[in-house]
Amino acid sequence: MTAATTAAGGKAIPGRQEAIDLFERIRALSSDGVGVSRESYGPTESACLEALVEWARQHGIDARTDPAANVVFSLPGGGEEAPVVCGSHVDSVPQGGNYDGLAGVIAGLLCLKRLKDEGVRLPHPLWVAGMRGEESAWFGKAYMGSSAILGKLKPDDLALRNKRSGRTLAEAMASVGADVDRIAAGKPVPWVSGVKAYLELHIEQGPLMVARKWPTAVVSGIRGNIRHNLVRCVGEPGHSGAVPRWLRSDAVFAVSDLLMRLDEHWRVLLERGNDLVVTSGVMGTDPAEHAVSRIPGRVDFSFEVRSESTETLEEFYRVMRAECDAVARQRGVRFEFDRRIESAPATMDPKLVQVLLDTSAELGLPAERIPSGAGHDAALFANAGIPSAMIFIRNENGSHNPAEAMDIDDFMAGVDVLYRSLPRLG
């Protein structure tokens, strides 16, 4: 699985060995023995950012920390023009892969070094954002770093607790030097006000590009989502041998009934041409109570629906709540919901998408569009009115697992697309 490893004119794309070394250094810093764990606003995330800052300064690249504790890289004397920002996140899910997020930050750093080495001055200076806290695995909310940049974090968000340590998001952000009072007041960081465009390179987190043999592709849009981290089905516990079916309030059978109903609605909506995915990724009875001979009186589960369409998201959410009411009546249970969390879908900027497609074609790479089922920081920048676009890199074995397998030559091909597109954004 390889892509072209040479730039236009037959020369090797600069930065390949630097990329390999950086990826391996960050992997070593954040290894958990299975994959990598870079906790949002935690020590490993900070260590990785510190390693990137050290590398940047060794190569004459400036680095500064913004009020939300993200790191912004740039070349000295970059000019006063509105910057183009390239970036991604450095955190990961627990026992995740090494390329999710990190690839986009390293790609931007390689572009800065190449601009410096080749003496290229762009119409708009390039800044690279190494952002914290994109993954929802730690606090139950995604895009925390980019939300803080844009002044979009709310007090309810800052009160969310880390699922492992129990620390609030506000406490975790303060521990790495973020200005939590400013963030709570909804004040964007100063640098974001003048951004001309936002670009993000990222691995594809599904199988489409591998199946189609595309080393790179250009993202057309990003699915939004509605989720509950915790839905609780409360029934009535009892002896498994003593209570007949018609007198049971079995929480497990109730949740199973609910999910089968939702699966049927999902199937029908897909047949009608709607974009939709539905997931319940966390589920269980109370470990302190469950037993083979006990009718379960409580089941906790998560709910998530994703779509490129806000209307489809809301329609399915209404269906889900209606089916919860129906199951509750029929099975003698009740459903309790934590806070609803949502992320809006985003459309990539058509002009930027076309620039990336044209550059890809000129480099002999596929000029193909692909939707993103996973969420990305680019969605927040796009929905804040900043023209945004993304480059996807082929990646074996999916994502959010240790088996992520991005080929370094595919990555360098994507870096070349990014680099050669930058002069065309003026």
Side-chain angles (χ1 to χ4, degrees):
M1 185 176 74
T2 59
T5 58
T6 56
K11 296 181 180 179
I13 300 169
R16 187 178 189 277
Q17 190 57 50
E18 287 97 331
I20 292 171
D21 293 344
L22 264 176
F23 280 122
E24 287 310 305
R25 183 177 182 192
I26 301 299
R27 185 193 299 278
L29 282 171
S30 52
S31 174
D32 54 27
V34 178
V36 301
S37 291
R38 300 193 276 267
E39 179 181 344
S40 303
Y41 303 100
T44 48
E45 184 190 62
S46 295
C48 293
L49 281 171
E50 290 165 6
L52 295 172
V53 168
E54 180 185 350
W55 183 92
R57 288 177 173 160
Q58 287 174 350
H59 294 284
I61 297 168
D62 289 341
R64 64 189 188 278
T65 302
D66 72 15
N70 305 291
V71 178
V72 180
F73 303 87
S74 60
L75 294 179
E80 299 300 321
E81 300 87 354
V84 170
V85 174
C86 168
S88 195
H89 60 99
V90 297
D91 60 332
S92 78
V93 300
Q95 297 186 357
N98 196 41
Y99 305 115
D100 178 2
L102 180 62
V105 184
I106 290 179
L109 290 175
L110 294 180
C111 286
L112 282 176
K113 182 176 184 297
R114 187 170 170 185
L115 289 168
K116 181 176 179 290
D117 291 347
E118 296 180 357
V120 175
R121 185 180 178 89
L122 297 171
H124 296 270
L126 175 65
W127 293 0
V128 176
M131 289 177 282
R132 293 182 180 264
E134 190 265 358
E135 298 289 1
S136 63
W138 303 97
F139 290 91
K141 178 177 175 58
Y143 316 135
M144 294 169 284
S146 50
S147 293
I149 287 171
L150 294 161
K152 300 292 187 183
L153 278 184
K154 297 180 171 54
D156 283 351
D157 300 323
L158 293 168
L160 291 169
R161 291 190 178 275
N162 186 297
K163 296 178 181 180
R164 289 153 184 82
S165 70
R167 286 200 306 176
T168 65
L169 177 56
E171 291 168 342
M173 295 182 86
S175 74
V176 296
D179 185 343
V180 176
D181 291 339
R182 179 190 183 98
I183 293 166
K187 295 180 180 179
V189 300
W191 63 260
V192 78
S193 62
V195 172
K196 176 181 175 59
Y198 176 82
L199 300 174
E200 184 168 356
L201 180 147
H202 204 283
I203 58 169
E204 190 204 5
Q205 293 171 278
L208 185 60
M209 291 174 65
V210 171
R212 294 186 176 175
K213 297 181 171 55
W214 296 343
T216 64
V218 179
V219 175
S220 56
I222 300 171
R223 283 176 174 147
N225 67 73
I226 299 174
R227 60 172 54 150
H228 285 280
N229 290 316
L230 173 64
V231 184
R232 176 164 292 169
C233 178
V234 180
E236 184 176 340
H239 192 291
S240 64
V243 184
R245 184 183 186 279
W246 67 281
L247 289 177
R248 291 191 181 205
S249 298
D250 187 319
V252 164
F253 273 90
V255 173
S256 300
D257 187 2
L258 173 68
L259 294 180
M260 291 306 295
R261 293 174 186 227
L262 296 182
D263 187 45
E264 179 61 16
H265 288 295
W266 181 13
R267 183 188 65 79
V268 171
L269 287 169
L270 290 176
E271 289 178 351
R272 294 175 181 171
N274 296 81
D275 175 68
L276 186 68
V277 289
V278 184
T279 306
S280 182
V282 179
M283 183 174 298
T285 55
D286 184 348
E289 297 181 353
H290 63 204
V292 172
S293 60
R294 179 188 179 99
I295 298 168
R298 191 186 98 190
V299 173
D300 292 344
F301 63 101
S302 64
F303 169 81
E304 181 194 76
V305 57
R306 296 187 185 227
S307 177
E308 290 186 82
S309 163
T310 300
E311 292 75 15
T312 300
L313 287 173
E314 292 294 346
E315 178 183 355
F316 196 85
Y317 186 78
R318 287 192 295 270
V319 166
M320 184 273 291
R321 295 300 294 254
E323 289 290 14
C324 285
D325 291 342
V327 170
R329 288 192 303 271
Q330 294 169 20
R331 291 191 173 268
V333 299
R334 71 178 187 274
F335 290 92
E336 301 171 351
F337 297 82
D338 72 350
R339 174 187 168 206
R340 167 175 150 155
I341 297 176
E342 55 194 68
S343 299
T347 300
M348 297 294 95
D349 182 80
K351 292 181 180 178
L352 293 181
V353 167
Q354 194 58 53
V355 168
L356 296 177
L357 290 169
D358 291 344
T359 304
S360 298
E362 291 172 11
L363 292 172
L365 295 163
E368 300 286 354
R369 292 178 173 86
I370 182 172
S372 175
H376 302 285
D377 292 304
L380 265 73
F381 287 97
N383 287 329
I386 297 171
S388 301
M390 291 188 71
I391 300 166
F392 263 1
I393 307 299
R394 175 173 50 184
N395 169 61
E396 294 267 17
N397 307 324
S399 184
H400 285 190
N401 69 72
E404 282 178 3
M406 178 192 74
D407 188 284
I408 194 66
D409 291 332
D410 290 352
F411 172 72
M412 292 309 302
V415 172
D416 205 32
V417 172
L418 177 62
Y419 180 79
R420 292 178 180 279
S421 296
L422 293 173
R424 304 178 177 190
L425 304 181

